[in-house]
Structure formats: C-alpha cells, structure tokens
C-alpha cells in the first residue's frame, strides 16, 4: 500500500488541475458523489448573498433589468457552451432536465415530420428520460421503442423520428459513442437528442463539431451549480428556426412584454425558454461556473481517466479477488468519469463507506458508484477510497 | 391633502397588520409592485446562507435526506395550502407557473374524457396561459376557444373538456367569481383549472370549499418567495388518483429510487412533481412563508380593500378630473389587490413615478398598475403614491 500512496503523491504533485481544488469548500471527506451533487465553489455563498440582499432586497423589481435577471438564461447558456463544444447563442438555461427532455423530444418529432412514427430511446436510460419519452410519444401519436445504444444503428429506419440517448450511462458509467451514433441518426434522416447530465463538465462533448441536433443536461453534477440548479437546452444552429416547443411561454415570445395573445416564437436560444426563471438557483449556477476560468476540458478529461485508472488499479491491488465486479468499461473510449462496482451487499457497503468518510452512492440493486470530479478530487483521494473500500469489503 | 394624510395616519394606527411590515426589508420607496415581485422578508438571507454554506457546502449529498430537500415540494405545498383554502396533501411546489398550467390542463382534458373536444380559456388571460393552453389543445387534439370569463357559463356545453381561468386579471385587477364559475364548469361536466397568481396571498381563495378541480399559482408575488421562486399545483382530493401528468418524472414515481423503467405514479400531491427541484429557490420560498405566521388571510383581504378604496379616494381628490381612468372595478366583489389606471402617457408617467420613489409598473399599451400588498404597504404609502401620481400627471 505504501507504494500506491507514494504514487498518488507523485501524481498529485504533477497534476495541472491540483490548485483548482482550492476554489471549492471541502473537508477531510473523500467526496466521490460529485456526479450526483457537485461540491460548493467557495465564492458562491457571497454571490448568492448579494443576489438576495441587494438585487432582490434593495433593487427589487428593477433587478430584472439592472441586475441582468431577464437575460440570465441565455447569458449562462453562453458560459456553459464552451464546456460542451457549442457556439454562443445555442444554449439556454432553465427548468429541470426532465422538462427540457420533453421540450427537445416533442420538438424533435415535429422536425422529423408526419411520416416518421417511431421514437427510439436508450433502453438503459435514467428513468425520467424514459418516462418523458413515453409521454412525448403518447402526446405526438408516435411509438416508443427502447433500444440499447449500441443497437441504435440497426434499429434506425425511415420510420425513426427521433432518438434519445445518454452520453454517459448514469449507472454503469459507460460512455456512448456520440460522434458515430449522431452520424447514424442523421444519415437515417432522424433527429438526435442527447442527454449530457453525466458527461458535461467531465469530458469534451463537441456538440457543434459532431452535428448533434438537440441536447439537454443538468448543471448540479460536474458543473457544481448547486442542488436542483436549472438544466439547459441546446439547439443546433441550423435547427433553431424549426424548434417548435410544446411549452411556449411568455419568456420564449418574440416580444415578451408586448403581452400578445398569439404566440410568436423568439429567434435563437430564447425560444427554449418558458416561464419566469428561478433566479436564485440560476445565479448561484452562474457564480459556480467561475471555477472553470482557465480550465481546459481536455485537461479535465485526461485527469479523469488517470484518476479512474488509478482507482481501479488500487481496488485490484487492495480488495480480495472477486469481491467486487467492475461494471464500468476499462476502455477509455467507453468510460465516463465514474466507476461503478457491483457486489451483492452494495447498499450496506456504501453505508459503511460513508461512515468512514468516503462518500459515493448506491444504485439499486447492487451498484456502488464513485464519481471522480477532476476539479477537486485528487489521486490521494482515489487511493484512500480504494483502501477504505477494501477494508469495508473485507469485513462484510 | 392634510385631511387625507391625517386619515392615513389614523388608518395605519388602527391596522392590525401594521407590525407585519417589520418582517420585511423596506426603505423609503413606496413599493407598489409586490404583485410582480414581493419584497424580501428580513430573515430570508440568513436562511439562504445556511442552505448554501451548511446544507450544500458541508452536508452536500446528505442534505437530500438530512436537510429535507427531497420532501420540500410537498412540505412547502402544505405551508401554502391554508392561504388558498386547501387541506394538507393537495399542493406540490415546483417548476414555473407555465409548466404547471401545462400539467394541469393536459391532465384536465384527460380527466374529462375522449368525447369532450373543446378547451375554454379566459380571453383576457396572461399571455403564457393562453400559449400553453394552445399547446395543450394541439397536443391533445382539442379545440381552444377564448372566452371572456363572464361568458363562460353560456359557452359551456357537453363538448367542454376543461376551462382555464384567472382568479384575478393581471392587467385590470378584476376579481372573477371563482365559486359560481367553478360550479358552472362542474355542472357542465367539465374540469376547472384556476390560475391564482394574482390572488393567492391577497385574498381568500377557498379551493376546497368551492370544489375547484385544479389550480396553479406563482409564489413570487403576494407570497414573497423571491425572483422566479417555484410555482405550485393543486389537485382536488377526489381527483388525485386520476391526475395523469404529461410530465411524469422520476420525482413523481411511486418509487423514485427504484429506478424502474416503467412509470408508476406516486399517490397524492407528489404526482405533480417532475424532475429535481430547484432547492435554493424553493427553500428561500419556504423561509419567506414564515411571514404569514399569525396572519389571517381574511385580515389581509379587509386591509387590501381598505387600501385600494383609500388610494382611489386620494386619486379622485388629488388628480385632475379625467386625467386617468380607473380600470379596476369599484365593487369589492370584483376587485383583487391592485389598482389599474389608464392614461395615454402611462409609460412615461410610470418612469417619472419610479424616479420619485413610487414603484408600480406599466403594462402595454396604456395601463399603470399599483399592487397593494397588505403585509407591508400602509395607508400613508397609498396617500403618498396618489399625491406623487397627481403631481406627475399635472406635469405631463
């Protein structure tokens, strides 16, 4: 174990992102649940206090203009854009991921046209995406077909209207091949909708480069926006004029304060807005995005892979053989930024890990999830997590 | 003017709600825009700081259980319930008003059954409600018919599936007759959906008493929840089992952490949830609701009517005859908690009022709106507002 600990110290010393950890509020816990709720950036409390005390408390209604509240959804979208490879003006922030999946999927079906009657959805998707996809299919009179992502190319046909896929599987941590799947969807004449919840902020996404049509994602995992911070919606440049939202609100009207009785959609990203944005959560997110200043997403990806490689090595060395099964793919091209391990007593194991200061999470029925957020998790954390895990597993 | 000012002082001295003003952060501005954004309750900043620094920053993911984040939508719904005359367990908080109108209206159409093909909507509604109603009609294959609220009883028929109405008109401040309109809708076999944005917190609503089927409302006006604080959804007790949401998310699943691929709706209020709730905005709202401790909504209504009566008297006395036209009905039974005045130069008048410390707002094309929030607006404020208004009108 001493060898692994020394190696961790060397890796931490060479880590170009090591100093970014100081931008967060952390303690002596090894926090490997940033793929569920990112840690608090240190400067966020002060910014939120200003929003509450001065912008709301003193300026009150004037803040809609003077504090930039009205334009926050687009402004913050433009902050997220470079992290997922999107040009400015293509992302708007607001609502939950679920609600944005609904907007995106109904809009996708409408773009695809009347003669395409089937929606494909990742069969292993996070439940909400599947429920919303079923609702979108029901309301638009389409059939929903669950398909494993790898089987999507074979499942595509002239009937396919839209395909809803996850970039990284929430449970296994498997990274799906966004460029080739997007190309296949496009070649079939269908519309691609990607859920980036478990990839944005952890690895390069390249939305514009790969020609993704529509995408959604949350901001409270690797983007550290805070509990339930608003989600975002991306619409490809060439499709913005055809984005026909099932949730047209006064915020997405071409002239919001004209109070017109007939809906006329705004141009560009604001077309994805609906109602009044939740300003406190939204401006906490805006502040949180400052931690990305000077951080290259490629460096984040490199560290993420090094961290998860190292964690797997440590687990292999420390834990009794066969005690846990690695669910996450070993190939870098198929791995997100989390490691999922399977063992029959996973729920109990995770409770004991948390009690000993190693926080991951448990997913039914038998999966331990460890999220590695390169902005604030180091190699010594990975070594300690593996060591404590091995201890807990040995007792169980 | 001295007589009116003396009368204001007498009325303020006799006001049983006068002390409630101290629960808010206010300055020497006469703030008559609480019908757009309520003032900041004084204890909210400290509570928000605790949510950010301790609940998010220290407890992190544990707060979903330990800080009660997960149950916040129902818990806060139960705090709003008595203010709108609802029993516990019938209101859930989350998402924007627009999104909740969508849930409610699609669910209403589904409750009404296949043979009812028409949705009636208040022709003078706030734009978003109309846009969302049009979308709900389009997605459910119904026809949307705009009707003035007073004409709803005549417009109802065996074709009517659902009726979307505003309790108080956002522009004119007119209070519609919720009990009789709800009864008429029910008698026709249709489902009623009420938008309470401009009435909740300003007057008794009596949702349960009057048999309202579904209702939605925002929380940032008379409920002082903060900019863009989450909206709420009410479903009548007897209808909860039949509430079939077009936005079924993992938060509304019977077993949210079971991660089931098939949607099975939760019982009761949680059925109206969708995705992860925006915790910062939501817990700011929860804190803000503390200002209602010991406040009777009947006392709020009595003061609201006295305030708006007094303001109208002052305007009549101070302003040149014919310079402004009162849009809001004089009859108490038809008045919400705002006064709308019409004059051709309303936009310019409001700019000058704001510059002189009287904050209302302007609505296209020619309406001045003055919202009277009885928790923190007094009679001296009403007198001063009318006096400054008369000065500004005399210059124009």
């Amino acid at each position: 174990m001493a060898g692994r600990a020394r190696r961790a110290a060397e890796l931490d010393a060479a880590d170009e992102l090591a100093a970014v950890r100081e931008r967060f509020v952390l303690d002596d816990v090894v926090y490997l649940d940033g793929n569920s709720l990112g840690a608090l950036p240190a400067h966020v409390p002060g910014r939120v206090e200003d929003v509450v005390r001065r912008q709301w408390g003193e300026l009150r209604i004037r803040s809609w203009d003077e504090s930039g509240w009205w334009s926050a959804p687009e402004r913050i979208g433009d902050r997220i854009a470079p992290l997922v490879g999107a040009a400015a003006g293509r992302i708007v922030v607001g609502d939950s991921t679920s609600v944005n999946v609904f907007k995106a999927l109904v809009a996708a079906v409408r773009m695809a046209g009347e003669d395409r009657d089937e929606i494909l959805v990742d069969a292993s998707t996070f439940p909400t995406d599947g429920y919303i996809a079923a609702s979108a299919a029901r309301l638009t009179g389409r059939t929903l077909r669950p398909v494993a992502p790898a089987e999507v190319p074979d499942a595509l046909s002239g009937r396919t209207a839209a395909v809803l896929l996850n970039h990284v599987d929430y449970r296994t941590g498997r990274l799906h091949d966004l460029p080739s799947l997007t190309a296949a969807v496009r070649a079939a004449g269908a519309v691609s909708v990607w859920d980036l919840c478990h990839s944005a902020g952890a690895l390069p996404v390249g939305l514009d480069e790969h020609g993704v049509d529509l995408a959604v994602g949350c901001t409270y995992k690797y983007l550290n926006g805070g509990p339930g911070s608003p989600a975002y919606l991306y619409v490809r440049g060439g499709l913005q004029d055809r984005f026909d939202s099932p949730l047209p609100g006064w915020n997405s009207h071409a002239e919001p304060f004209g109070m017109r009785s007939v809906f006329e959609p705004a141009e560009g990203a604001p077309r994805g807005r609906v109602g009044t944005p939740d300003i406190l959560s939204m401006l906490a997110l805006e502040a949180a995005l400052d931690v990305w200043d000077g951080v290259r997403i490629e460096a984040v990806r490199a560290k993420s892979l090094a961290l998860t490689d190292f964690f797997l090595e440590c687990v292999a060395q420390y834990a009794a053989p066969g005690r846990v099964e690695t669910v996450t793919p070993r190939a870098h091209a198929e791995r997100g930024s989390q490691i999922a391990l399977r063992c029959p007593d996973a729920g109990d194991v995770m409770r004991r890990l948390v009690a000993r200061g190693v926080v991951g999470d448990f997913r039914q029925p038998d999966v331990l999830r460890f999220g590695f957020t390169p902005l604030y998790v180091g190699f010594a954390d990975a070594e300690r997590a593996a060591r404590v895990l091995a201890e807990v597993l040995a007792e169980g």
Side-chain angles (χ1 to χ4, degrees), chain A:
Chain A
M1 293 201 179
R4 292 277 112 204
R6 269 196 306 277
R7 179 69 186 137
E10 290 165 10
L11 289 165
D12 280 330
D15 174 14
E16 75 168 88
L17 295 175
V20 178
R21 180 183 168 96
E22 289 163 22
R23 300 179 188 176
F24 291 87
V25 175
L26 292 163
D27 47 28
D28 60 354
V29 165
V30 177
Y31 190 64
L32 302 181
D33 215 0
N35 55 330
S36 188
L37 176 65
L40 172 66
H43 64 289
V44 163
R47 291 275 286 278
V48 171
E49 183 173 13
D50 180 65
V51 171
V52 175
R53 288 191 190 272
R54 187 180 59 84
Q55 296 184 10
W56 173 13
E58 296 176 20
L59 298 178
R60 288 185 286 263
I61 197 71
R62 291 162 50 193
S63 274
W64 281 106
D65 290 325
E66 293 179 29
S67 302
W69 290 355
W70 183 266
S71 55
E74 295 85 58
R75 185 176 70 242
I76 303 171
D78 284 349
R79 292 288 301 280
I80 293 171
L83 298 173
V84 291
R90 294 182 182 171
I91 292 184
V92 69
V93 174
D95 306 306
S96 67
T97 306
S98 305
V99 169
N100 282 296
V101 169
F102 184 74
K103 292 178 205 166
L105 210 44
V106 172
V109 166
R110 288 172 174 172
M111 287 173 188
E114 285 298 325
D115 54 327
R116 290 176 174 263
D117 68 351
E118 193 171 72
I119 298 171
L120 302 183
V121 62
D122 180 348
S124 54
T125 192
F126 186 73
T128 262
D129 292 44
Y131 308 155
I132 292 285
S135 176
R138 176 181 174 191
L139 283 164
T140 59
R142 265 63 173 183
T143 303
L144 183 68
R145 178 147 70 110
V147 179
E151 290 160 18
V152 161
D154 287 342
L156 288 162
S157 75
R159 290 181 55 187
T160 314
V163 184
L164 173 61
L165 289 163
N166 296 282
H167 197 188
V168 172
D169 185 280
Y170 79 100
R171 208 170 52 86
T172 65
R174 177 181 290 273
L175 172 65
H176 297 300
D177 187 348
L178 180 143
S180 79
L181 288 168
T182 300
V185 172
R186 164 146 326 168
V191 179
S192 57
V193 183
W194 284 92
D195 180 332
L196 309 178
C197 284
H198 288 270
S199 64
L203 49 93
V205 178
L207 289 174
D208 285 347
E209 178 188 352
H210 302 303
V212 166
D213 293 320
L214 302 164
V216 303
C218 77
T219 62
Y220 44 77
K221 300 181 191 293
Y222 299 101
L223 298 179
N224 312 299
S229 56
Y232 57 90
L233 171 70
Y234 163 89
V235 181
R236 183 162 65 76
L239 290 181
Q240 288 185 318
D241 288 350
R242 294 169 54 204
F243 186 81
D244 182 4
S245 175
L247 294 171
W250 72 297
N251 275 237
S252 53
H253 197 282
E255 196 191 346
F257 291 92
M259 303 287 156
R260 311 279 181 214
S261 61
V262 174
F263 184 70
E264 184 194 332
E267 296 290 312
R271 193 175 282 205
R273 292 173 64 160
V274 191
T276 304
D278 51 333
I279 293 298
L280 301 194
S281 291
M282 192 164 283
L283 298 190
L285 164 63
E286 182 173 36
L289 291 169
D290 285 355
V291 299
W292 292 92
D293 287 353
V295 173
R296 293 179 308 112
I297 192 73
E298 293 75 15
V300 169
R301 174 61 168 164
K303 181 176 173 185
S304 161
L305 289 171
L307 276 169
T308 48
D309 275 343
F310 185 66
F311 177 70
L312 286 172
E313 284 168 34
C314 292
V315 171
Q317 184 177 337
Y318 297 168
R323 184 65 178 83
V324 292
E325 175 198 351
T326 302
V327 177
T328 306
R330 306 236 165 211
H332 284 181
E334 297 175 5
R335 191 194 302 166
S337 198
Q338 76 179 49
I339 294 296
L341 303 175
R342 181 177 287 143
C343 63
D345 50 344
D348 182 52
V349 167
M350 185 51 71
R351 270 188 298 278
R352 286 187 289 142
L353 275 174
V354 171
R356 296 190 198 189
V358 175
V359 177
D361 65 20
F362 162 64
R363 281 291 175 262
Q364 295 273 6
D366 57 1
V367 169
L368 302 165
R369 292 198 316 176
F370 300 96
F372 289 83
T373 48
L375 297 190
Y376 54 80
V377 171
F379 294 88
D381 295 321
E383 193 274 340
R384 180 176 147 202
R387 185 158 31 86
V388 176
L389 172 64
E391 291 166 12
V392 166
L393 290 171
E395 296 163 8

